[in-house]
């Protein structure tokens, strides 16, 4: 069984991959455009599976998992290019949810 990677290891793997190319990371504006494009492709797949818009016969088969992977990759690239640790960002956002939003939704009774 393959050992699971930490978020830090995943970010490093993406950085190692991108660093082998002279072009390196795209500019923040270009990455924002790319992220928007990838989220749009994810939205399209969600609409095909759960919405009212069936896929055309000539459209290739893609999955929600594949599209989420594309979004994840560009988020990793974006963070790396700006020197942001997604692990630290995750801990900060979870702290916000555990404190500011702790009573925002109805809890499931145990």
């Amino acid at each position: 069984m393959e050992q699971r990677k930490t978020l830090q290891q995943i970010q490093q793997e993406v950085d190692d991959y991108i660093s082998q190319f002279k072009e390196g990371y795209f500019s923040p504006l270009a990455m924002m455009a790319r992220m928007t494009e990838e989220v749009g492709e994810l939205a399209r797949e969600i609409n095909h599976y759960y919405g009212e818009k069936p896929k055309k016969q000539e459209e290739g088969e893609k999955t929600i998992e594949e599209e989420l992977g594309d979004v994840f990759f560009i988020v990793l690239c974006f963070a790396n290019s700006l020197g942001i640790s997604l692990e630290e960002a995750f801990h900060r956002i979870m702290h916000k949810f555990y404190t500011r939003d702790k009573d925002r939704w109805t809890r499931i009774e145990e």
Side-chain angles (χ1 to χ4, degrees), residues 97 99-107:
F97 283 116
T99 56
R100 184 194 74 188
D101 294 340
K102 66 181 172 59
D103 297 319
R104 189 173 189 173
W105 294 282
T106 307
R107 294 198 180 268

Side-chain angles (χ1 to χ4, degrees), residues 10 24 32 34 43 47 50 53 57 66 77 84 94 98:
I10 292 169
M32 188 67 227
R34 178 137 183 253
N47 199 18
Y50 301 106
K53 185 177 180 184
Q57 279 187 325
E66 182 180 350
C77 288
I84 295 170
M94 290 308 296
Y98 287 133

Side-chain angles (χ1 to χ4, degrees), residues 14 18 25 31 72-82:
V14 169
I18 297 294
Y25 291 105
M31 276 201 263
F72 185 48
F73 183 79
I74 191 63
V75 167
L76 290 161
C77 288
F78 212 158
N80 284 352
S81 74
L82 298 174

Side-chain angles (χ1 to χ4, degrees), residues 17-74:
Y17 175 77
I18 297 294
S19 295
Q20 68 181 325
F21 304 109
K22 288 181 182 180
E23 294 82 2
Y25 291 105
F26 296 145
S27 70
L29 188 57
M31 276 201 263
M32 188 67 227
R34 178 137 183 253
M35 185 183 303
T36 302
E37 177 186 340
E38 296 298 350
V39 170
E41 291 176 13
L42 173 61
R44 185 175 180 87
E45 286 304 306
I46 297 282
N47 199 18
H48 289 319
Y49 283 96
Y50 301 106
E52 289 72 40
K53 185 177 180 184
K55 215 173 240 207
K56 296 175 186 173
Q57 279 187 325
E58 64 272 9
E59 286 185 284
E61 187 62 34
K62 289 189 177 180
T63 65
I64 293 170
E65 179 181 12
E66 182 180 350
E67 297 303 339
L68 278 171
D70 288 344
V71 170
F72 185 48
F73 183 79
I74 191 63

Side-chain angles (χ1 to χ4, degrees), residues 3-16 25 71-77 79-80 84-94:
Q3 185 180 3
R4 294 191 179 263
K5 296 178 182 176
T6 66
L7 193 46
Q8 183 179 9
Q9 289 170 321
I10 292 169
Q11 276 191 260
Q12 185 61 56
E13 183 174 343
V14 169
D15 191 59
D16 292 345
Y25 291 105
V71 170
F72 185 48
F73 183 79
I74 191 63
V75 167
L76 290 161
C77 288
N80 284 352
I84 295 170
S85 163
L86 287 173
E87 192 171 326
E88 289 176 20
F90 171 77
H91 291 302
R92 279 196 300 277
I93 195 71
M94 290 308 296

